[in-house]
């Protein structure tokens, strides 16, 4: 059994109904007309999943910070004039002075 990229198969001429898909794909595979898709090993898939999750969380964090900045500005608080990064070391979320060492 091979995994085939649907985008590749979609461009090939032939029957494309749900009833005949399996037989048609089997014929294409038997004649070497489709390439198997690359399926990475489990550790690589897990790493990709973690990387994707981190990217999503980073994007969401940026959106939340932007919403917070807008909310503060709408209420008349302009932290951007005092702190360049409101979530950074000088921002309100940091308890304590600057970091040393």
């Amino acid at each position: 059994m091979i995994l085939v990229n649907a985008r590749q198969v979609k461009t090939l001429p032939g029957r494309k109904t749900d009833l005949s898909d399996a037989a048609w794909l089997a014929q294409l595979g038997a004649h070497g007309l489709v390439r198997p898709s690359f399926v990475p090993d489990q550790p690589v898939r897990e790493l990709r999943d973690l990387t994707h999750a981190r990217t999503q969380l980073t994007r969401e964090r940026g959106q939340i910070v932007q919403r917070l900045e807008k909310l503060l500005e709408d209420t008349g608080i302009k932290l951007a004039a005092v702190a360049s990064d409101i979530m950074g070391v000088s921002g309100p979320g940091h308890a304590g002075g600057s970091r040393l060492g």
Side-chain angles (χ1 to χ4, degrees):
M1 177 169 29
I2 62 172
L3 176 67
V4 177
N5 186 336
R7 212 178 287 148
Q8 177 196 10
V9 176
K10 190 175 185 176
T11 62
L12 294 173
R15 300 180 305 261
K16 298 199 178 156
T17 65
D18 288 341
L19 298 174
S20 62
D21 273 347
W24 178 64
L25 290 172
Q27 282 182 335
L28 290 176
H31 297 310
L33 297 174
V34 291
R35 293 191 317 255
S37 290
F38 171 71
V39 179
D41 294 335
Q42 184 67 26
V44 174
R45 288 195 308 263
E46 290 173 5
L47 182 60
R48 286 180 174 186
D49 289 344
L50 289 172
T51 303
H52 178 72
R54 182 180 188 279
T55 301
Q56 286 296 109
L57 289 171
T58 302
R59 184 176 296 127
E60 289 173 17
R61 180 185 186 274
Q63 292 170 346
I64 291 169
V65 169
Q66 287 178 340
R67 285 199 313 261
L68 177 61
E69 287 175 343
K70 180 164 179 11
L71 179 67
L72 291 172
E73 285 185 14
D74 288 349
T75 59
I77 301 170
K78 300 226 184 252
L79 282 180
V82 180
S84 60
D85 180 7
I86 68 168
M87 299 306 287
V89 174
S90 63
H94 182 56
S98 64
R99 294 183 186 174
L100 297 175

